[in-house]
PDB file of all heavy atoms in Angstrom:
ATOM      1  N   TYR A 344      -1.896  13.023  -0.583  1.00  0.00           N
ATOM      2  CA  TYR A 344      -2.276  12.345  -1.789  1.00  0.00           C
ATOM      3  C   TYR A 344      -3.093  11.056  -1.421  1.00  0.00           C
ATOM      4  O   TYR A 344      -2.878  10.456  -0.344  1.00  0.00           O
ATOM      5  CB  TYR A 344      -1.027  11.849  -2.571  1.00  0.00           C
ATOM      6  CG  TYR A 344      -0.430  12.899  -3.501  1.00  0.00           C
ATOM      7  CD1 TYR A 344      -0.387  14.240  -3.148  1.00  0.00           C
ATOM      8  CD2 TYR A 344       0.049  12.527  -4.724  1.00  0.00           C
ATOM      9  CE1 TYR A 344       0.177  15.228  -3.985  1.00  0.00           C
ATOM     10  CE2 TYR A 344       0.522  13.470  -5.632  1.00  0.00           C
ATOM     11  CZ  TYR A 344       0.571  14.865  -5.234  1.00  0.00           C
ATOM     12  OH  TYR A 344       1.081  15.769  -6.065  1.00  0.00           O
ATOM     13  N   HIS A 345      -3.972  10.727  -2.332  1.00  0.00           N
ATOM     14  CA  HIS A 345      -4.847   9.531  -2.146  1.00  0.00           C
ATOM     15  C   HIS A 345      -4.260   8.386  -2.862  1.00  0.00           C
ATOM     16  O   HIS A 345      -4.192   8.416  -4.124  1.00  0.00           O
ATOM     17  CB  HIS A 345      -6.260   9.829  -2.625  1.00  0.00           C
ATOM     18  CG  HIS A 345      -7.105  10.641  -1.708  1.00  0.00           C
ATOM     19  ND1 HIS A 345      -8.342  10.290  -1.307  1.00  0.00           N
ATOM     20  CD2 HIS A 345      -6.870  11.787  -1.073  1.00  0.00           C
ATOM     21  CE1 HIS A 345      -8.874  11.210  -0.531  1.00  0.00           C
ATOM     22  NE2 HIS A 345      -7.928  12.124  -0.333  1.00  0.00           N
ATOM     23  N   PRO A 346      -3.787   7.339  -2.173  1.00  0.00           N
ATOM     24  CA  PRO A 346      -3.419   6.121  -2.951  1.00  0.00           C
ATOM     25  C   PRO A 346      -4.497   5.528  -3.685  1.00  0.00           C
ATOM     26  O   PRO A 346      -5.677   5.440  -3.103  1.00  0.00           O
ATOM     27  CB  PRO A 346      -2.947   5.192  -1.835  1.00  0.00           C
ATOM     28  CG  PRO A 346      -2.565   6.057  -0.649  1.00  0.00           C
ATOM     29  CD  PRO A 346      -3.579   7.161  -0.738  1.00  0.00           C
ATOM     30  N   VAL A 347      -4.315   5.161  -4.907  1.00  0.00           N
ATOM     31  CA  VAL A 347      -5.366   4.627  -5.766  1.00  0.00           C
ATOM     32  C   VAL A 347      -5.080   3.154  -6.063  1.00  0.00           C
ATOM     33  O   VAL A 347      -5.978   2.300  -6.069  1.00  0.00           O
ATOM     34  CB  VAL A 347      -5.503   5.444  -7.082  1.00  0.00           C
ATOM     35  CG1 VAL A 347      -6.533   4.780  -8.034  1.00  0.00           C
ATOM     36  CG2 VAL A 347      -5.905   6.906  -6.811  1.00  0.00           C
ATOM     37  N   LEU A 348      -3.810   2.848  -6.391  1.00  0.00           N
ATOM     38  CA  LEU A 348      -3.377   1.440  -6.572  1.00  0.00           C
ATOM     39  C   LEU A 348      -2.045   1.279  -5.808  1.00  0.00           C
ATOM     40  O   LEU A 348      -1.158   2.061  -5.975  1.00  0.00           O
ATOM     41  CB  LEU A 348      -3.194   1.135  -8.055  1.00  0.00           C
ATOM     42  CG  LEU A 348      -2.727  -0.275  -8.349  1.00  0.00           C
ATOM     43  CD1 LEU A 348      -3.839  -1.299  -7.956  1.00  0.00           C
ATOM     44  CD2 LEU A 348      -2.436  -0.465  -9.817  1.00  0.00           C
ATOM     45  N   VAL A 349      -1.985   0.242  -5.006  1.00  0.00           N
ATOM     46  CA  VAL A 349      -0.823  -0.068  -4.150  1.00  0.00           C
ATOM     47  C   VAL A 349      -0.365  -1.451  -4.288  1.00  0.00           C
ATOM     48  O   VAL A 349      -1.040  -2.415  -4.241  1.00  0.00           O
ATOM     49  CB  VAL A 349      -1.240   0.209  -2.637  1.00  0.00           C
ATOM     50  CG1 VAL A 349      -0.093  -0.244  -1.686  1.00  0.00           C
ATOM     51  CG2 VAL A 349      -1.619   1.660  -2.403  1.00  0.00           C
ATOM     52  N   MET A 350       0.998  -1.553  -4.620  1.00  0.00           N
ATOM     53  CA  MET A 350       1.649  -2.838  -4.872  1.00  0.00           C
ATOM     54  C   MET A 350       2.861  -2.996  -3.970  1.00  0.00           C
ATOM     55  O   MET A 350       3.739  -2.250  -4.068  1.00  0.00           O
ATOM     56  CB  MET A 350       1.978  -2.980  -6.338  1.00  0.00           C
ATOM     57  CG  MET A 350       2.634  -4.345  -6.666  1.00  0.00           C
ATOM     58  SD  MET A 350       2.853  -4.572  -8.433  1.00  0.00           S
ATOM     59  CE  MET A 350       4.122  -3.260  -8.869  1.00  0.00           C
ATOM     60  N   ASP A 351       2.800  -3.996  -3.129  1.00  0.00           N
ATOM     61  CA  ASP A 351       3.967  -4.336  -2.251  1.00  0.00           C
ATOM     62  C   ASP A 351       4.972  -5.017  -3.053  1.00  0.00           C
ATOM     63  O   ASP A 351       4.708  -6.010  -3.783  1.00  0.00           O
ATOM     64  CB  ASP A 351       3.418  -5.284  -1.152  1.00  0.00           C
ATOM     65  CG  ASP A 351       4.372  -5.463  -0.042  1.00  0.00           C
ATOM     66  OD1 ASP A 351       5.592  -5.223  -0.131  1.00  0.00           O
ATOM     67  OD2 ASP A 351       3.927  -5.881   1.121  1.00  0.00           O
ATOM     68  N   VAL A 352       6.259  -4.497  -3.060  1.00  0.00           N
ATOM     69  CA  VAL A 352       7.345  -5.203  -3.757  1.00  0.00           C
ATOM     70  C   VAL A 352       8.425  -5.559  -2.755  1.00  0.00           C
ATOM     71  O   VAL A 352       9.625  -5.732  -3.201  1.00  0.00           O
ATOM     72  CB  VAL A 352       7.826  -4.397  -4.954  1.00  0.00           C
ATOM     73  CG1 VAL A 352       6.826  -4.402  -6.042  1.00  0.00           C
ATOM     74  CG2 VAL A 352       8.328  -3.012  -4.621  1.00  0.00           C
TER      75      VAL A 352
END
Side-chain angles (χ1 to χ4, degrees):
Y344 273 40
H345 283 229
V347 175
L348 180 64
V349 172
M350 178 172 67
D351 194 339
V352 292

